[in-house]
Amino acid sequence: MTRSKLALSTTLAAIGLTSSMAFVSAAQADYPEQDIRLIIPYGPGGATDIIFRLISQEAEQYLGESIVPVNMAGAGATLGSRNVKDASPDGYTLLGSHDTIALSKLAGTVDYSFDAFEPIALLTQTINIPSTYAGHAVNSADEIADYVSENPGQVRFSMIPSSTDHFFWAQFFEEAGIDMADVRLVGYPDTGQQVSALMAEEVDFAMFNLPSGGAFYEDGTFKPLGIAHPERLDSLPEVATLREQGINMDHSTSRGVFAPKGTPQEVLDTVAQAYGQALENEQVKSRIENEFGSVVRFLAGDDYQAFLTENEAALSAAAENIDFQN
């Protein structure tokens, strides 16, 4: 897998830490003075939950106060995001989320997107993997189209409505030549319940990644069918990329930290600095890359804002071909 070579020092410069170090240091004298709640808008055990807990546990050492992860699943990940959007902008309630913020607006389930928050820092990008259960007739992603064609209306794909895997499957169907009228999309509130559903063979396919599915690939419970990345993953070297299988798409989940609109810049910088330092820990980086199939990519300040703007524009273009059902 391609390792992110983005130097943290470059990003730290981008957020102005060098020029404003004295200002930030002054802010750190006052903030934080109590535990910080990090709202994770999904249930426990999924990739988003695992990655944010790992990095936050390291980051809190640089803040001097605990970062307390709080799982707040529901309403397609908007229960948690709305809770943070409406929270006091004092730096003590933050959001750990990803592309689903923009997708929820594109799907028409909420009327806000990234611009309703103060972006703090992008932390990782996780490569997504279409998967099925052991014993299923399909053994690779390029066999899914034929299987659907042979079983029209009977093949079940799990997804969290309006989340990244909903978007993933819509893009996959288009690239693989599958008519959405021939498949059944089954909605679940979080990744943990999708894992249970696939394990119980309630559905045929689910989109996982190494944080959520890695242990099940290792013990043979689930089969990874393809890697949605230009290169194979070191952790799954035997699994071909989607592009190798003739499906021309890449897909990742870009996770970052957000604060309520109006949060003071010095607070944003303090939190960004702590997460940036956390990602410099070689053990944390190694686990993110080798155990969780993710790329460490730290962006903050204007760089992160530019990333979000570009990401939302790309999602908006792709969403024009998706018929979201609310």
Side-chain angles (χ1 to χ4, degrees):
M1 180 186 74
T2 300
R3 300 285 196 276
S4 174
K5 300 299 185 185
L6 295 181
L8 294 181
S9 58
T10 300
T11 304
L12 294 176
I15 64 175
L17 289 179
T18 301
S19 61
S20 61
M21 188 61 71
F23 185 47
V24 172
S25 296
Q28 287 177 325
D30 299 319
Y31 172 86
E33 297 178 303
Q34 63 188 60
D35 291 353
I36 299 169
R37 292 197 318 153
L38 179 70
I39 304 297
I40 299 170
Y42 296 101
T48 298
D49 180 59
I50 293 171
I51 288 177
F52 277 118
R53 285 177 183 271
L54 171 66
I55 304 174
S56 297
Q57 187 175 29
E58 181 69 18
E60 66 184 14
Q61 299 180 36
Y62 301 101
L63 292 171
E65 297 287 349
S66 296
I67 300 175
V68 181
V70 178
N71 296 102
M72 193 175 292
T78 63
L79 179 64
S81 65
R82 188 180 295 279
N83 182 279
V84 176
K85 183 179 76 67
D86 296 337
S88 175
D90 56 12
Y92 292 105
T93 302
L94 305 177
L95 175 67
S97 191
H98 51 67
D99 319 74
T100 191
I101 297 174
L103 289 175
S104 295
K105 182 178 182 182
L106 292 170
T109 56
V110 296
D111 60 358
Y112 59 87
S113 185
F114 295 130
D115 58 1
F117 302 91
E118 302 288 357
I120 296 178
L122 173 68
L123 306 181
T124 67
Q125 292 181 292
T126 301
I127 312 307
N128 293 318
I129 304 169
S131 309
T132 189
Y133 53 81
H136 196 283
V138 168
N139 292 301
S140 59
D142 58 354
E143 296 178 5
I144 294 178
D146 286 343
Y147 186 75
V148 171
S149 179
E150 294 164 1
N151 302 277
Q154 301 301 313
V155 185
R156 299 149 297 174
F157 294 78
S158 81
M159 56 90 182
I160 301 171
S162 306
S163 191
T164 48
D165 55 357
H166 191 174
F167 187 88
F168 173 90
W169 286 123
Q171 186 176 352
F172 181 90
F173 296 152
E174 181 174 354
E175 295 295 337
I178 297 172
D179 189 335
M180 289 189 68
D182 289 338
V183 304
R184 295 172 59 189
L185 287 170
V186 183
Y188 293 91
D190 56 54
T191 302
Q193 294 198 35
Q194 290 188 91
V195 168
S196 298
L198 188 62
M199 197 175 294
E201 303 183 10
E202 293 177 5
V203 294
D204 295 275
F205 304 104
M207 185 212 80
F208 293 141
N209 37 51
L210 287 180
S212 59
F216 301 104
Y217 302 146
E218 187 173 349
D219 69 15
T221 302
F222 296 156
K223 292 189 288 187
L225 302 176
I227 305 300
H229 191 60
E231 299 179 21
R232 297 190 183 195
L233 297 177
D234 291 344
S235 302
L236 295 171
E238 75 285 0
V239 181
T241 68
L242 294 184
R243 291 184 179 277
E244 287 181 276
Q245 299 181 51
I247 302 168
N248 295 319
M249 65 176 283
D250 305 317
H251 200 275
S252 63
T253 303
S254 302
R255 295 184 171 85
V257 182
F258 301 82
K261 203 73 175 177
T263 302
Q265 185 62 47
E266 58 267 33
V267 170
L268 304 179
D269 289 347
T270 297
V271 176
Q273 184 180 35
Y275 275 96
Q277 289 175 296
L279 290 173
E280 291 180 312
N281 181 297
E282 291 299 327
Q283 185 175 6
V284 171
K285 289 175 63 176
S286 176
R287 292 194 64 192
I288 289 171
E289 294 181 350
N290 297 317
E291 293 183 31
F292 304 144
S294 300
V295 175
V296 171
R297 188 178 183 187
F298 183 82
L299 297 174
D302 291 342
D303 285 353
Y304 189 28
Q305 183 58 66
F307 172 87
L308 292 173
T309 300
E310 183 178 350
N311 188 31
E312 186 168 10
L315 293 173
S316 297
E320 293 178 359
N321 297 320
I322 300 174
D323 181 21
F324 290 107
Q325 301 291 324
N326 297 318

